[in-house]
Amino acid sequence: MMMNRRTFSAALVAGAAATLLSSRGMAATSAPVKARNVVLVHGLFADGSCWTEVIARLQAAGLNATAAQNPLTTLPDAVATVKRVLDRQDGPTVLVGHSFSGMMVTEAGVHPNVSALVYVAARAPDAGEDYTALAKTFPTPPASAGIVFDGDEGRLNEAAFLRDFAGDLPEARAKVLYAVQQPFQKALLTGKTTQAAWRSKPSWYAVSTEDRTINPDLERFMAKRMGAKTVEVKASHLSLISHPDEITQLILEAAGQ
């Protein structure tokens, strides 16, 4: 059968898309590279201490774990911070991001030391994608209403923090986390990734089914789009604290342990 130019172009695009999807699927199911290093990055309304429970478990398993401190200023600043930490790693490294820091994982994950990516209830945009526009295609999660600004500095108010961010933690623990919350700069929210590391690196994703900060269906969409090995954890947005065993196990799997 004769194929005209339009039909040929459509077939070419479809074939390229099929190849891309196939390669992402293989990335999630092939045997992961054995890694002894893990770099963990925090998102908004937090600092590096939110990884404490996971770090202790990774160290007990014999891995070298480092929590990068997200400056919460601009996306380029944040990515540069992660890259500096990755530069210091000796050999294959699993890069892990929670919440907003999935933006940094997606951008910095192309670093040659990164062997695998792990997203924990995290943003996972495509290159150049407007994440805010993507998120608006799903129902708005309750925590969004609790963001308040003092000039260019944003934070989550206490009621929203306890109810919508850390809803499955004991109140006393959640209040400690609220006390160490770091404000973010409004400019941080305008950044867009220029690369999507999940298109070339094996990826894992932990969906928080009770999440009130990022819509769980949006998490499922992003995980499926990247062809990630996905687990669902019955947890709030802070699954890394309320369910550290499950999150650690996912990271260990990505590390080939």
Side-chain angles (χ1 to χ4, degrees):
M1 181 180 70
M2 293 294 292
M3 181 178 290
N4 62 33
R5 181 175 297 178
R6 179 177 296 178
T7 305
F8 175 78
S9 297
L12 189 62
V13 171
T19 300
L20 180 60
L21 289 170
S22 176
S23 64
R24 292 209 301 268
M26 287 192 298
T29 58
S30 59
V33 173
K34 197 169 185 65
R36 62 178 299 274
N37 304 305
V38 180
V39 171
L40 308 117
V41 195
H42 69 86
L44 306 184
F45 323 128
D47 68 5
S49 67
C50 66
W51 288 107
T52 299
E53 298 295 332
V54 171
I55 288 172
R57 287 161 172 77
L58 292 173
Q59 291 175 337
L63 274 68
N64 172 43
T66 305
Q69 293 290 351
N70 183 348
L72 300 172
T73 50
T74 67
L75 184 60
D77 285 350
V79 170
T81 297
V82 174
K83 286 182 175 178
R84 287 194 294 271
V85 177
L86 291 171
D87 286 341
R88 297 197 295 268
Q89 304 308 303
D90 180 18
T93 301
V94 177
L95 181 58
V96 187
H98 172 246
S99 193
F100 179 88
S101 72
M103 302 279 289
M104 297 142 71
V105 168
T106 297
E107 182 79 9
V110 297
H111 191 287
N113 281 345
V114 175
S115 57
L117 313 171
V118 178
Y119 293 81
V120 180
R123 300 185 179 197
D126 204 347
E129 185 171 50
D130 184 337
Y131 176 83
T132 300
L134 172 64
K136 286 180 179 178
T137 63
F138 293 82
T140 302
S144 298
I147 299 175
V148 294
F149 284 93
D150 298 314
D152 288 334
E153 285 192 341
R155 58 186 174 81
L156 199 60
N157 68 38
E158 186 172 13
F161 193 103
L162 300 182
R163 180 185 62 244
D164 303 323
F165 188 67
D168 62 346
L169 297 181
E171 184 174 327
R173 176 71 170 119
K175 284 187 173 182
V176 170
L177 293 168
Y178 175 75
V180 300
Q181 176 186 183
Q182 297 298 300
F184 66 90
Q185 292 295 310
K186 190 177 292 185
L188 182 65
L189 303 180
T190 64
K192 292 182 181 179
T193 54
T194 63
Q195 305 178 87
W198 49 262
R199 288 191 174 275
S200 59
K201 300 288 178 83
S203 303
W204 282 255
Y205 199 110
V207 172
S208 285
T209 64
E210 312 304 304
D211 205 323
R212 293 170 60 87
T213 301
I214 295 180
N215 189 302
D217 285 334
L218 173 56
E219 294 177 16
R220 294 181 181 104
F221 167 81
M222 292 184 291
K224 183 177 180 180
R225 179 173 65 171
M226 72 172 71
K229 169 66 181 296
T230 304
V231 299
E232 298 213 352
V233 183
K234 190 175 182 180
S236 71
H237 194 57
L238 291 182
S239 59
L240 65 168
I241 299 175
S242 63
H243 291 73
D245 289 333
E246 289 94 323
I247 301 306
T248 301
Q249 184 56 46
L250 192 68
I251 296 170
L252 291 174
E253 182 179 327
Q257 303 294 316

